Amino acid sequence: MKVILPLAALALLSMLFLLSRSIGPTKTIPVAEVGLEQRAQEQGASNATFTGMTDEGDLITLSAQAARPYADDPSRILADVVESRLTLTSGSLIDILSDEADVNQDDSTIKMTGDVRINTSTGFHMTTDVLNTRFDSLYAQTPGPVTGNGPPGDLDAGRMVIAPNDETGDTHLFFTDGVKVIYQPKNAED
């Protein structure tokens, strides 16, 4: 056994090297040519993240698959495939997803466009085409219609505003301009 097992191991190792594919050392490594020239000429960042805090202490995080400054105005940034999270001082969360965002650093504004989806930790799930928001204070508003659902049921409104209530300071969703709610009562057995 002392002789047969080492010879068998040597035979297996030899077979491994004899049957393996050879790799040519002069072959080049394949590199994707898609967008390399364009990315080399333009400024921008992949997987960009912006973070900040409002004057009231709410945390704002905005991340994008790609972000690039406007050529004519470097204080404005165009971001693609955007995810934003607002962590409120009350502990509530508001997640916002959109196709694009136009970040204006001079005005402290963000205009989110495309398929904008707003989800809150309190159970609201809303969609709209445009959401204008700020990153120096807690304020967001849709200039057009918003649809979705929440704890009371299905909602349609001409406009929605996310802002603190003047009396209590708590953050609320305010629906205006023709609000339609289809109330869905909870089952009495629950």
Side-chain angles (χ1 to χ4, degrees), residues 18-105:
L18 289 173
L19 297 177
S20 67
R21 293 186 301 151
S22 63
I23 298 174
T26 58
K27 277 189 164 182
T28 60
I29 298 172
V31 176
E33 298 291 331
V34 179
L36 287 180
E37 290 180 22
Q38 179 184 0
R39 293 198 85 185
Q41 294 174 356
E42 293 180 355
Q43 294 182 6
S46 298
N47 299 322
T49 301
F50 305 94
T51 58
M53 183 181 290
T54 66
D55 296 336
E56 296 84 18
D58 302 305
L59 300 174
I60 298 175
T61 303
L62 184 130
S63 60
Q65 281 187 2
R68 59 196 171 282
Y70 281 85
D72 58 340
D73 187 1
S75 68
R76 289 181 56 204
I77 298 170
L78 181 63
D80 297 324
V81 188
V82 178
E83 296 180 19
S84 179
R85 172 166 273 191
L86 306 172
T87 306
L88 308 179
T89 54
S90 66
S92 297
L93 300 173
I94 301 173
D95 291 320
I96 305 168
L97 308 160
S98 70
D99 295 334
E100 287 186 342
D102 184 351
V103 181
N104 189 330
Q105 296 177 44

Side-chain angles (χ1 to χ4, degrees), residues 50 60 62 64 70 75-84 96-118 128-135 139-144:
F50 305 94
I60 298 175
L62 184 130
Y70 281 85
S75 68
R76 289 181 56 204
I77 298 170
L78 181 63
D80 297 324
V81 188
V82 178
E83 296 180 19
S84 179
I96 305 168
L97 308 160
S98 70
D99 295 334
E100 287 186 342
D102 184 351
V103 181
N104 189 330
Q105 296 177 44
D106 289 342
D107 295 342
S108 299
T109 60
I110 303 169
K111 181 177 183 177
M112 301 176 103
T113 57
D115 182 24
V116 181
R117 296 172 305 281
I118 304 144
T128 188
D129 293 331
V130 178
L131 179 70
N132 297 317
T133 185
R134 302 192 57 82
F135 54 87
Y139 181 81
Q141 60 97 11
T142 64

Side-chain angles (χ1 to χ4, degrees), residues 139-178:
Y139 181 81
Q141 60 97 11
T142 64
V146 61
T147 61
N149 59 56
D154 295 333
L155 287 158
D156 290 318
R159 188 168 174 256
M160 179 185 76
V161 175
I162 301 172
N165 185 325
D166 291 337
E167 296 172 9
T168 64
D170 294 334
T171 302
H172 291 284
L173 300 174
F174 298 100
F175 298 98
T176 61
D177 297 347

